[in-house]
């Protein structure tokens, strides 16, 4: 039987005489056979390509799925080991936002004193995820396992509470940032409201119910002009969507306390700063831009008044968080049913010593040994407030909270960490 090549290109064409009709019919069949063969080859190649692309898509999708998946015997073992309590009277704590700024420091402090800790974080890209992954590596080196997952994943939360009878939940997961809410408002509703409800649903259904301590914000004071801010002040005038979601969180947590007997403590943080901080915070971005020789924006309020913040060092915030966990009291519900009243508390955690933003920049200049290129601009209507100032008398009396780190000392520690983490030597990045 002649090959396809021989059919298309005869090697020894000779002189031969055939009937015209027979010749035309033969040529038709030969052409049809050749076309059919090419068509079949084309179909085969298309099918092969489609199969490859389909398989590649499956592999890519599968890789993403399994990379972010949870479950399995090894995974459960890691959760159990990380949650083990190693001190008398200790607690087992689920820390949401575990690879975040505050979450990392709280988790380390709990682990160091012998408590069981399991972190939960979705490692989103609001800021460079590599920083969160570096925090996770730090936590893992101290025996803290961080589960990669979302607080809106009810199946994941149910599984975690099924594996571990957490005594406490430290809820720090949230979409942070005041200005970013104007770009991506849905992320705030997803994390700060829907995520909070998902977590509270898991907590109220757990048996036993854990006590819940969670991060509200000083932003809830909004347009309040009475200073210093006290927990009893009005908080019904939020200046940003972020603040509104945190205020909504306070109302939602009160509802779950009232209906289901969950012990709940809300903490209104005042401008937390320090090592391993968030790159979107002013002190962090100022440091980066000063070292890179880039200008920094310094906002001013009405009548060119300098903005002021009650900057609170991370170690002081951690003390307040641990004090809140230690004094939280017990939830009184079981299986979603309330058995009696449970504690509901709100505390300010601040430093009580507001400092203007230009003063903060001057301190950074001194430690970085570099002058900042200052660009003074009027504060836009993007949700920021002109000042914050915490009254911490309630936290002092109820939690024994007493901040001890002033801004100069705290920024010195931050700059030392920043230069080390980002590889700077004498003000220049190390290659």
């Amino acid at each position: 039987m002649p090959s396809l090549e021989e059919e298309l290109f005869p090697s020894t064409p000779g002189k031969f005489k055939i009937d015209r009709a027979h010749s035309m019919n033969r040529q038709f069949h030969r052409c049809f056979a050749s076309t059919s063969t090419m068509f079949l080859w084309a179909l085969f190649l298309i099918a092969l390509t489609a199969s490859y692309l389909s398989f590649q898509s499956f592999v890519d999708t599968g890789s993403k799925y399994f990379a972010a998946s949870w479950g399995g015997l090894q995974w459960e073992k890691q959760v159990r080991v990380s949650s083990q309590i190693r001190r008398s009277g200790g607690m087992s704590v689920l820390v949401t936002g575990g690879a975040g700024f505050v979450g990392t420091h709280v988790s380390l402090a709990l682990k160091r004193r012998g408590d069981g800790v399991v972190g939960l974080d979705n490692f989103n890209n609001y800021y460079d995820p590599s920083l969160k992954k570096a925090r996770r590596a730090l936590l893992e080196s101290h025996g803290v396992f961080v589960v990669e997952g979302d607080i809106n994943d009810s199946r994941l939360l149910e599984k975690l509470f099924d594996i571990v009878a957490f005594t406490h939940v430290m809820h720090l997961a949230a979409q942070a940032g005041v200005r970013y809410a104007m770009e991506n408002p849905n992320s705030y509703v997803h994390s700060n409201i829907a995520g909070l409800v998902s977590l509270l649903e898991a907590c109220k259904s757990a048996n036993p119910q854990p006590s819940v301590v969670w991060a509200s914000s000083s932003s809830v004071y909004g347009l309040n002009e009475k200073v210093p801010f006290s927990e009893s002040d009005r908080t019904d005038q939020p200046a940003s969507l972020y603040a509104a979601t945190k205020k909504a969180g306070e109302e939602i947590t009160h509802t779950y306390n009232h209906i289901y007997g969950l012990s709940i403590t809300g903490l209104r943080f005042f401008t937390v700063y320090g090592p391993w901080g968030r790159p979107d915070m002013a002190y962090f971005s100022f440091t980066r831009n000063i070292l890179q020789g880039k200008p920094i924006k310094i906002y001013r309020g009405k009548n060119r008044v300098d903005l002021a913040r009650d900057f609170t060092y991370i170690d002081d915030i951690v003390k307040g968080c641990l004090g809140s966990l230690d004094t939280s009291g017990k939830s009184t519900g079981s299986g979603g049913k309330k058995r009696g009243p449970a504690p509901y508390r709100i505390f300010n955690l601040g430093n009580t010593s507001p400092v203007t933003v230009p003063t903060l920049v001057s301190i950074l200049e001194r430690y970085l040994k570099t002058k900042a290129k200052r660009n003074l601009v009027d504060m836009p209507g993007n949700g920021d407030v002109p000042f914050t100032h915490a009254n911490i008398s309630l936290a002092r009396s109820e939690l024994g909270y007493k901040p001890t780190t002033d801004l100069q000392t705290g920024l010195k520690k931050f700059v030392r960490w920043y230069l080390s983490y980002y590889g700077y030597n004498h003000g220049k990045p190390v290659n």
Side-chain angles (χ1 to χ4, degrees):
M1 180 179 291
S3 67
L4 177 63
E5 183 178 6
E6 288 173 334
E7 286 191 6
L8 292 175
F9 305 103
S11 58
T12 55
K15 294 180 179 180
F16 49 91
K17 186 177 180 179
I18 55 176
D19 181 75
R20 181 180 293 272
H22 177 72
S23 175
M24 290 181 66
N25 188 45
R26 185 175 179 182
Q27 288 180 20
F28 172 78
H29 283 291
R30 182 180 297 172
C31 180
F32 179 79
S34 301
T35 305
S36 297
T37 305
M38 291 181 67
F39 180 70
L40 287 174
W41 273 106
L43 279 179
F44 174 73
L45 290 173
I46 291 171
L48 188 64
T49 303
S51 298
Y52 172 78
L53 293 175
S54 177
F55 176 75
Q56 191 65 37
S57 175
F58 170 79
V59 170
D60 291 343
T61 303
S63 298
K64 292 177 182 177
Y65 173 78
F66 288 114
S69 67
W70 48 267
L73 295 178
Q74 180 61 27
W75 180 84
E76 290 186 18
K77 181 180 179 181
Q78 289 176 296
V79 171
R80 288 194 178 94
V81 170
S82 189
S83 67
Q84 288 180 357
I85 302 170
R86 303 185 183 279
R87 70 179 177 98
S88 177
M91 58 184 71
S92 182
V93 188
L94 174 64
V95 180
T96 70
F101 173 31
V102 179
T104 296
H105 284 273
V106 170
S107 296
L108 288 173
L110 288 168
K111 198 69 175 180
R112 286 190 186 111
R113 72 179 197 176
D115 293 315
V117 185
V118 175
L120 174 61
D121 204 294
N122 67 0
F123 293 89
N124 67 19
N125 61 356
Y126 169 61
Y127 58 81
D128 185 3
S130 67
L131 181 57
K132 280 192 173 186
K133 291 176 181 177
R135 296 190 193 118
R136 177 172 61 182
L138 175 65
L139 289 168
E140 289 177 347
S141 71
H142 288 78
V144 178
F145 179 55
V146 181
V147 175
E148 183 168 355
D150 197 285
I151 55 174
N152 282 285
D153 188 343
S154 59
R155 288 179 58 249
L156 170 57
L157 294 175
E158 182 181 354
K159 185 65 175 178
L160 287 171
F161 279 101
D162 182 55
I163 297 171
V164 180
F166 291 108
T167 60
H168 295 75
V169 170
M170 185 78 222
H171 178 45
L172 298 167
Q175 177 58 64
V178 170
R179 298 166 195 161
Y180 183 62
M182 299 182 72
E183 299 177 31
N184 189 3
N186 290 335
S187 65
Y188 289 79
V189 177
H190 175 80
S191 296
N192 302 359
I193 296 180
L196 174 62
V197 171
S198 295
L199 180 66
L200 293 174
E201 280 291 304
C203 291
K204 65 98 169 172
S205 300
N207 193 9
Q209 289 180 339
S211 299
V212 179
V213 178
W214 73 288
S216 181
S217 170
S218 61
S219 296
V220 299
Y221 290 109
L223 302 178
N224 180 27
E225 295 183 353
K226 173 185 169 294
V227 289
F229 300 153
S230 300
E231 291 86 349
S232 58
D233 291 345
R234 64 183 298 182
T235 54
D236 58 352
Q237 295 179 299
S240 66
L241 179 61
Y242 169 71
T245 61
K246 286 299 185 178
K247 175 58 180 176
E250 292 186 353
E251 305 301 331
I252 291 168
T253 53
H254 185 275
T255 302
Y256 275 79
N257 166 264
H258 174 69
I259 297 176
Y260 301 110
L262 283 174
S263 168
I264 294 181
T265 302
L267 303 176
R268 294 173 177 171
F269 295 159
F270 282 72
T271 316
V272 189
Y273 73 100
W276 296 100
R278 284 185 8 229
D280 63 310
M281 297 290 285
Y283 72 94
F284 202 115
S285 63
F286 286 169
T287 300
R288 178 177 61 246
N289 289 343
I290 290 172
L291 286 170
Q292 294 177 357
K294 297 179 180 178
I296 61 174
K297 282 186 180 180
I298 301 177
Y299 291 116
R300 296 180 299 188
K302 292 181 180 179
N303 301 319
R304 298 187 176 182
V305 174
D306 291 332
L307 304 188
R309 293 289 181 269
D310 199 346
F311 295 102
T312 312
Y313 189 63
I314 183 61
D315 288 358
D316 291 325
I317 290 292
V318 169
K319 292 174 187 175
C321 290
L322 267 59
S324 299
L325 290 167
D326 291 338
T327 61
S328 61
K330 292 182 178 293
S331 293
T332 60
S334 177
K337 295 182 180 180
K338 181 179 179 180
R339 308 293 182 186
Y344 181 82
R345 312 177 300 171
I346 291 180
F347 296 108
N348 287 338
L349 293 186
N351 193 55
T352 74
S353 301
V355 177
T356 66
V357 175
T359 299
L360 172 128
V361 174
S362 296
I363 297 172
L364 287 174
E365 287 175 327
R366 185 163 70 254
Y367 291 137
L368 296 172
K369 299 178 181 178
T370 306
K371 293 293 291 183
K373 298 176 181 178
R374 305 188 186 206
N375 183 14
L376 300 177
V377 296
D378 292 333
M379 183 175 67
N382 58 8
D384 268 331
V385 293
F387 58 85
T388 60
H389 184 184
N391 179 343
I392 61 169
S393 57
L394 185 61
R396 184 183 288 116
S397 62
E398 296 290 325
L399 308 177
Y401 175 70
K402 185 179 180 182
T404 58
T405 308
D406 61 28
L407 186 59
Q408 292 198 38
T409 303
L411 284 179
K412 184 176 183 179
K413 293 179 179 180
F414 166 73
V415 167
R416 186 186 305 130
W417 168 83
Y418 186 97
L419 296 177
S420 173
Y421 180 79
Y422 288 100
Y424 277 84
N425 184 17
H426 302 298
K428 296 181 180 180
V430 178
N431 294 326

